[in-house]
Amino acid sequence: MLKMELSKSELKRYSRHLLLSEVGVEGQQKLKKASVLIVGVGGLGSPLAMYLAASGVGKLGLVDNDVVDESNLQRQVIHGTSDVGRLKNDSAREKLKEINPEIILQQYNEALTSKNAMEIIANYDIVVDGTDNFQTRYLVNDACVLLGKPNVYGAVHKFEGQTSVFWAKKGPCYRCLFPNPPEAGTVPSCEEAGVLGVLPGVIGMLQSTEVIKLILEKGTSLIGRLLMYNALEMQFSEIKLKSNPNCKVCGNTPEITALIDYDEFCGLKKHSDNASKKTNTLKDWELDLEMSPQVLSQLIKQNQDLFLLDVREPYEHKICKIKEAVLLPMKQVANNLEVLPKNKKIVVLCHHGSRSRAVINYLKSQGFSSLYNLDGGIHRFALEVDSNLDTY
């Protein structure tokens, strides 16, 4: 149990808080007593963790099993160049202890799953979602609803971000706004679409502000409101949200009373299962929708009669490309079907493999067959097959 008393060093550290009538000693004691779980110590989690630590939140839980990559450094400001290759949690812990050695840090060097989410989240007052994938967002939401916890949500995409507080006890949950996830591959991740480096900082700081307000029980929360930010226009806008009485998890007659398989719910299960069974050899490659980079490389060397379709954007193509591939950006595919041969095997590629998968689904609906997705995209191809290609 955390002691609520403030030490002499804490009184000095938080002196600017103590001057605020809305905070004062009592409010700072509330912050010290509070516990917050941060799911994801990346773009959103970086400013979140640093400001909550600096503000004196007594216990922070960090959930992340990823390692620092050089491409993270443009926005994940809690990590530095010397941290590349380290666990993000280890890097974050080091920085947070430097910011505020008075707080307690609990690391969970694992992915949040249906098996561990309830046990982990139960130990915290507030959960902050700093993730960038739909399966974890729905998992965090459902666990928070079932445990009665507030879920401080944030998301970023290119130049736009949004944030809200989902708390089924007092307002809508994430499923009230988004009952179902988008079709797998239709919404590109930051790795696919890019993101302005400062954008997660803006949204992450808004999330941390909401956390502090919840702990202090001051101000007007974002419960029932979705705040949207456009960095290019420097504009904030807001829409009102209402609880959905038919919501499957927080509605009047909920269907979801326990955590489910979120990979399957988000349409990723079939792909994951197939990927685990794939071989890197030529044997039986025609039976798989997903083609490994090794198989594609062998087929190119054998001059197989393939049509290699690159559905990335021109600026991505300038960074790296497979010379045998024809560039046709995803948004232009529907208007250029005549350039695609129906009598050849078509291998579709993008950066990581999600846009290409969506294109394959569309081409199937247009009567094309013998379609293959380059598993892991050109990024994996560069890492595992052709080291001369630059990755991004």
Side-chain angles (χ1 to χ4, degrees), residues 274 277-308 343-348 360 369-375:
N274 287 341
K277 298 175 183 178
K278 284 196 298 295
T279 174
N280 288 335
T281 69
L282 284 173
K283 182 180 179 182
D284 297 331
W285 68 268
E286 292 185 81
L287 301 177
D288 281 326
L289 167 64
E290 300 288 328
M291 180 182 290
S292 73
Q294 291 80 5
V295 167
L296 177 60
S297 177
Q298 292 180 65
L299 294 174
I300 291 174
K301 289 177 182 178
Q302 293 178 3
N303 293 316
Q304 290 275 351
D305 194 20
L306 302 173
F307 187 88
L308 191 52
N343 60 342
K344 289 186 178 182
K345 296 178 175 64
I346 299 176
V347 182
V348 189
I360 284 175
S369 58
S370 298
L371 298 164
Y372 305 90
N373 186 53
L374 179 59
D375 186 37

Side-chain angles (χ1 to χ4, degrees), residues 304-365:
Q304 290 275 351
D305 194 20
L306 302 173
F307 187 88
L308 191 52
L309 175 64
D310 187 337
V311 296
R312 296 174 301 151
E313 295 299 314
Y315 67 88
E316 296 177 277
H317 190 257
K318 288 181 180 179
I319 299 173
C320 66
K321 59 188 175 185
I322 299 175
K323 64 180 182 179
E324 291 82 4
V326 174
L327 177 65
L328 183 60
M330 181 178 180
K331 293 179 181 179
Q332 299 178 22
V333 170
N335 294 325
N336 292 277
L337 293 179
E338 69 279 358
V339 307
L340 304 179
K342 287 191 174 182
N343 60 342
K344 289 186 178 182
K345 296 178 175 64
I346 299 176
V347 182
V348 189
L349 70 94
C350 64
H351 188 196
H352 285 279
S354 60
R355 281 175 287 175
S356 50
R357 201 173 302 120
V359 168
I360 284 175
N361 290 335
Y362 171 74
L363 292 178
K364 282 183 176 179
S365 71

Side-chain angles (χ1 to χ4, degrees), residues 38 43 81 89 93 102 150 173 282 296 346 363 366 371:
I38 301 172
T81 303
N89 268 355
R93 180 185 183 87
E102 304 276 359
C173 79
L282 284 173
L296 177 60
I346 299 176
L363 292 178
Q366 300 301 307
L371 298 164

Side-chain angles (χ1 to χ4, degrees), residues 8 11 15 44 53 74 136 176 179 181 195 204 260 262 265 267 288 296 298 302 308 327 352 355 365 385-386 389:
K8 288 184 178 180
L11 289 170
S15 61
L44 294 172
Q74 161 252 18
T136 309
C176 293
V195 62
I260 60 175
Y262 292 89
F265 174 68
D288 281 326
L296 177 60
Q298 292 180 65
Q302 293 178 3
L308 191 52
L327 177 65
H352 285 279
R355 281 175 287 175
S365 71
V385 173
D386 190 349
L389 292 178

Side-chain angles (χ1 to χ4, degrees), residues 234-255:
M234 194 51 72
Q235 289 182 343
F236 285 92
S237 58
E238 179 184 300
I239 61 173
K240 300 292 185 182
L241 306 177
K242 291 184 178 180
S243 298
N244 179 3
N246 299 316
C247 177
K248 291 183 178 181
V249 68
C250 78
N252 297 332
T253 55
E255 297 177 20

